[in-house]
DNA sequence: TTGAAAGCGTTACCAT
DNA sequence: ATGGTAACGCTTTCAA
């Protein structure tokens, strides 16, 4: 008979109403106690009873219900890309995440692999984030920015090589990388400079600006020439390139990054091209890897210069929305000279 | 006078009620039309009017309200770790994400850096995910699993070196990696085997099982001995280790992975220790990197063998909850012999 | 010090 | 074929 007590046999999850019932108070009181609401005085005895009941039932508030009632969330959305994130970006995200949490935001990374731009931005907007930080490679259009703003996002921020119309921008201008490498080579008397262009899809986002920076830097020097060198991240591709190296008439190469540099340098050495005597090689990323090569690899070292921590910037934009798009250049590059050129 | 029409000048985001008003129908009808509800017949004219109104207003449904009403979400939560994710894990996540999307789940990665286990699991539970996939390194305890289950998660799945009591497990048993390397070395007559143990925090999760697998494999051979070799990912640390190499009396080393292998091999060569003549070196990960070294690096190649795609497994567990914890071993390892040992 | 009730945006049931 | 209405879980205003 007593097998189905009125409100037991609950297979579902406990709500604040369950806590109220268990503690013998109203739902309002439960809310007051659990949110430490100071505008209302609750007796210590009641407080304890409510807390105990919540603990016993394993009560956990329902974030969706809460933000629905509140009319806003504190979710910062980070649409993910499927690009292989570099060390720099990973560190950036990790830091951003902890900093935002410290400011009481909830950071949510949302994978949008294989959605077309409209579907993707719609999916983000459904979550009603208070801010969106979109790394390079996610399909964010001015139209998408409008949709996010209209659905309540107080700040839309792009993070990558170039800004998008209408959004704030944390710009990682990859041109400074190519520029630094080429200036380094020019200073050492090199004039006929190759620039490796990875053929892997997705990397064009980074390699094209690096090349652009290289070209720009070369313009400052009369006799300098820059040549584009397509390369796949495979030994065969590097071997091919090395085999026709001498026909190219280059005295140096900026190899996109340290990994492509290692690949190419190995192939050049195997083909009998001396590094740096005949051809100087410069990578980028300043990985441990480069220091272990022989000759040690010269490399463009990158870092993010943040006047104001990005998390604070986001917080400021959220509290004070509607301003003109801000733009901050974050990427700094400096070439570390080692033995390879 | 007509500057403030009754329901215009809306600064807030449009709701389905706004769409209904604009189309001159009820909220229910809007819901029917936009969700393509087939159990109810709506005239084509009405359909078009509703769709047009939704489009004009830029209406986007509110995910929180929807899942509140529905009583459940289709969110799969992926608590993120701050560990440097390897290529294998990254590929795994990317695939999992697209596969789950195809099954109409929403995959959300949630950063829990710097939260203690209880706070973290509570934060996850507040989101009411339908499933949680926890990679190695996130603080998931049996108690936490209980909390997630009680707050509605239909499936909790761990992904990593070892299962956690009470959750389903996709096991990446790192012991097979050390085992494969050591069996490879034993087969080539090596007997006194060093195993590199990275000192970077967080890697112990992987290095300890790899060592355990190495020890286990060595037991099969009478004269074999395994020795633990602490190493930081720095040149100085490798140089130190190489300097006292001959006092260790080892004829081979399993270097944890290809990057540590490169670091150590370089230091050994600089110290005059011949590879592989005097000491054989085996890495893991089978990176391009290893093929470029001289001698070419032997390496443990890893892959994930999935009888059933993990996304389908998750879907099955969600639809059919309450079963006994499942356990699937995913990691396969096989040593690729090259020149280093 | 506490409780009743309204409302956030949706959807499903039951009338019309 | 369409509309009214209640309910999801929570917070907050107002009243007691």
């Amino acid at each position: 008979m007593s097998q189905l007590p009125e409100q037991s046999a609950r297979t579902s999850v406990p709500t604040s109403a369950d806590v109220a019932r268990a503690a013998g108070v109203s739902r309002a009181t439960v809310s007051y106690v659990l949110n430490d609401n100071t505008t209302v005085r609750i007796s210590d005895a009641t407080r304890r009873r409510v807390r105990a009941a919540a603990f016993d039932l394993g009560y956990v508030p329902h974030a969706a219900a809460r933000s629905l009632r509140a009319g806003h969330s504190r979710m910062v959305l980070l649409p993910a890309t499927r690009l292989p994130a570099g060390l720099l970006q990973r560190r950036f995200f990790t830091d951003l995440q902890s900093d935002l949490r410290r400011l009481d935001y909830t950071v949510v990374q949302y994978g949008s692999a294989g959605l077309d731009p409209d579907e993707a931005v719609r999916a983000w907007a459904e979550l009603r984030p208070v801010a969106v930080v979109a790394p390079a490679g996610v399909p964010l259009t001015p139209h998408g920015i409008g949709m996010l703003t209209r659905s309540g996002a107080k700040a839309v921020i792009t993070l990558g090589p170039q800004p998008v119309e209408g959004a704030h921008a944390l710009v990682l201008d990859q041109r400074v990388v190519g520029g630094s490498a080429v200036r380094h080579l020019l200073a050492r008397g090199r004039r006929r400079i190759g620039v490796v262009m990875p053929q892997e899809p997705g990397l064009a986002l980074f390699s094209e600006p690096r090349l652009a920076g290289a070209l720009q830097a070369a313009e400052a020097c009369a006799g300098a020439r820059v040549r584009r060198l397509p390369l796949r991240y495979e030994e065969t591709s590097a071997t091919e390139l090395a085999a026709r190296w001498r026909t190219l008439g280059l005295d140096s190469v900026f190899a996109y990054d340290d990994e492509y540099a290692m690949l190419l340098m190995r192939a050049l050495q195997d083909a009998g091209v001396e590094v740096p005597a005949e051809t100087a090689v410069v990578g980028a990323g300043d990985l441990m890897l480069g220091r272990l090569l022989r000759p040690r690899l010269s490399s463009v070292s990158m870092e993010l210069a943040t006047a104001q921590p990005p998390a604070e910037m986001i917080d400021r934009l959220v509290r004070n929305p509607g301003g003109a798009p801000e733009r901050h250049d974050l990427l700094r590059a400096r070439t570390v000279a080692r033995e390879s050129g």
Side-chain angles (χ1 to χ4, degrees), chain A residues 262-317:
Chain A
M262 179 180 186
L263 176 63
L264 179 57
M265 198 160 88
R266 165 58 63 204
L268 288 176
Q269 289 174 324
D270 286 354
V273 176
E274 281 206 25
V275 178
E278 188 174 347
T279 299
V281 178
V282 174
D286 197 17
L287 302 183
M288 166 74 76
L289 163 58
R291 269 165 270 176
L292 301 175
L293 299 179
R294 297 300 181 264
R296 294 170 198 268
L297 183 65
S298 298
S299 183
V300 181
S301 165
M302 297 173 280
E303 61 177 29
L304 299 181
T306 56
Q308 184 181 34
E312 286 178 23
M313 174 198 175
I314 292 171
D315 184 47
R316 181 167 50 76
L317 293 172

Side-chain angles (χ1 to χ4, degrees), chain A residues 5 51 86 98 121 177 241 254 258 262 292-293 303 318 332:
Chain A
R51 290 231 152 80
S98 359
V121 82
V177 178
L241 179 55
F254 167 54
D258 286 354
M262 179 180 186
L292 301 175
L293 299 179
E303 61 177 29
V318 165
R332 299 288 176 271

Side-chain angles (χ1 to χ4, degrees), chain A residues 163-181:
Chain A
V164 175
E165 176 81 28
H168 303 285
L170 295 174
V171 181
L172 306 184
D173 185 351
Q174 300 287 332
R175 285 177 305 181
V176 302
V177 178
S180 175

Side-chain angles (χ1 to χ4, degrees), chain A residues 30-299:
Chain A
V30 171
S31 174
Y32 293 146
V33 171
L34 296 184
N35 295 314
D36 285 322
N37 188 323
T38 51
T39 70
V40 69
R41 302 232 171 275
I42 309 275
S43 70
D44 270 13
T46 307
R47 288 202 123 78
R48 271 194 297 275
R49 250 187 313 136
V50 170
R51 290 231 152 80
F55 183 84
D56 291 346
L57 292 173
Y59 170 72
V60 175
H62 192 305
R66 178 181 297 196
S67 74
L68 182 57
R69 162 70 219 212
H72 61 261
S73 74
R74 287 186 67 79
M75 180 199 298
V76 175
L77 192 69
L78 260 155
T81 145
R82 62 191 165 298
L83 291 181
L87 263 65
L88 209 66
Q89 274 213 21
R90 276 218 297 275
R91 269 245 313 272
F92 179 85
F93 280 142
T94 308
D95 293 351
L96 181 63
Q97 208 142 17
S98 359
D99 290 353
L100 281 173
R101 180 184 308 297
R102 221 158 286 133
L103 293 168
D104 202 38
Y105 290 93
T106 291
V107 180
V108 154
Q109 213 169 321
Y110 187 101
S112 4
L115 268 71
D116 73 55
D118 285 341
E119 289 176 325
V121 82
R122 192 189 153 89
W124 308 336
E126 288 190 1
L127 299 176
R128 297 288 194 273
V130 69
V132 177
V133 181
V138 309
L140 186 59
T141 63
H143 168 255
I145 294 171
M147 171 166 282
L148 289 170
T149 306
R150 260 178 283 113
S151 62
K154 295 275 190 286
V156 179
I157 297 142
T158 63
L159 174 75
Q162 59 238 13
V164 175
E165 176 81 28
H168 303 285
L170 295 174
V171 181
L172 306 184
D173 185 351
Q174 300 287 332
R175 285 177 305 181
V176 302
V177 178
S180 175
V182 164
R183 273 190 304 277
H184 171 87
L185 290 170
L186 290 175
R188 317 224 144 192
R190 310 286 174 160
R191 288 296 177 271
R192 298 184 309 287
I193 305 172
V195 173
V196 167
M197 300 299 283
Q199 296 303 287
E200 279 65 34
L203 290 188
L205 260 167
F206 301 93
S207 61
E208 290 293 346
R210 288 188 185 183
L211 173 63
L215 288 164
Q216 207 171 332
E219 277 173 16
C221 176
R225 276 192 332 223
V226 167
R227 168 158 189 161
R228 170 192 282 260
L229 300 173
L231 178 62
R232 276 171 292 114
Y233 195 60
E234 293 165 13
E235 273 190 279
T236 55
S237 181
T239 307
E240 256 177 63
L241 179 55
R244 58 193 177 85
W245 192 256
R246 293 210 163 98
T247 73
L248 296 171
L250 299 173
D251 59 17
S252 56
V253 58
F254 167 54
Y256 177 69
D257 76 2
D258 286 354
E259 302 201 69
Y260 283 87
M262 179 180 186
L263 176 63
L264 179 57
M265 198 160 88
R266 165 58 63 204
L268 288 176
Q269 289 174 324
D270 286 354
V273 176
E274 281 206 25
V275 178
E278 188 174 347
T279 299
V281 178
V282 174
D286 197 17
L287 302 183
M288 166 74 76
L289 163 58
R291 269 165 270 176
L292 301 175
L293 299 179
R294 297 300 181 264
R296 294 170 198 268
L297 183 65
S298 298
S299 183

Side-chain angles (χ1 to χ4, degrees), chain A residues 5-8 10 13-28 30 49-50 53-54 57:
Chain A
E6 200 180 8
Q7 54 233 10
S8 176
R10 300 274 298 164
V13 335
T15 72
S16 76
D18 296 324
V19 176
R21 217 173 296 125
V25 300
S26 76
R27 303 208 305 289
V30 171
R49 250 187 313 136
V50 170
L57 292 173

